[in-house]
Amino acid sequence: MYTMLPFNHMSRTFNDLFDEMERSMFPAQPSGRLPAFRTDIRDAGDKFILEAELPGFDKGDIKLDVKDGILTISAQHTENKDEKDDKGSYIRRERRYGSFTRSFDITGVDDEHITASYNNGVLELNLPKAVPVVPESRRIAID
């Protein structure tokens, strides 16, 4: 038995299948770029702990910068693998490039005492909370 749907509708549905697959694999961001690395931030009382997943990066590929109350985490990786036969012709040549950047507002954090470690693809930052400055009161003597 034949379907009652017009051919162009079926064609559009077939293309929609691929569009949906692409959207599920590469979710859209406001900037139109692929999503940045995943982070978790938790409050540990006297500090915040930020964990960023950066698998495949070496510690030297990661940069942490603080400027004007903004913490920026950037990671860049370049890898080339060439395999040649005896004649110098390529058998296989693969290249992989990756670059990610994310910024965080760290207002209320003592940025002089931030510490970081990188283990098994996870960057962990300890962000100690700034101690609130209480205005000091003093008595002035009258002469």
Side-chain angles (χ1 to χ4, degrees):
M1 182 157 234
Y2 295 103
T3 179
M4 298 299 291
L5 297 174
F7 180 76
N8 64 353
H9 186 279
M10 288 177 63
S11 174
R12 188 175 65 235
T13 304
F14 184 71
N15 288 332
D16 287 344
L17 176 68
F18 287 105
D19 290 342
E20 287 177 28
M21 182 177 71
E22 182 180 8
R23 279 191 297 271
S24 70
M25 293 173 68
F26 305 107
Q29 295 290 309
S31 64
R33 298 185 324 199
L34 293 176
F37 51 86
R38 305 251 188 241
T39 59
D40 295 324
I41 302 172
R42 63 180 193 260
D43 189 340
D46 61 339
K47 64 183 175 181
F48 295 103
I49 298 174
L50 184 148
E51 293 177 332
E53 295 177 4
L54 294 164
F57 289 94
D58 292 326
K59 185 169 79 170
D61 297 334
I62 302 168
K63 293 180 187 156
L64 304 172
D65 296 303
V66 175
K67 183 178 180 184
D68 299 328
I70 303 293
L71 168 70
T72 302
I73 302 171
S74 52
Q76 186 169 2
H77 179 73
T78 303
E79 180 180 339
N80 291 317
K81 289 186 179 181
D82 294 338
E83 290 183 19
K84 297 182 180 184
D85 63 9
D86 296 337
K87 298 176 186 175
S89 300
Y90 286 109
I91 296 174
R92 180 178 75 147
R93 185 173 189 188
E94 294 184 5
R95 292 157 301 284
R96 186 177 77 147
Y97 305 96
S99 175
F100 297 103
T101 300
R102 275 192 80 177
S103 296
F104 301 88
D105 181 349
I106 56 169
T107 304
V109 169
D110 180 4
D111 62 2
E112 295 293 323
H113 295 96
I114 295 173
T115 58
S117 63
Y118 183 68
N119 294 309
N120 297 324
V122 177
L123 174 68
E124 182 177 302
L125 284 96
N126 289 301
L127 308 161
K129 294 180 181 178
V131 178
V133 178
V134 178
E136 192 174 301
S137 132
R138 63 184 176 102
R139 186 163 292 203
I140 301 171
I142 302 173
D143 292 330

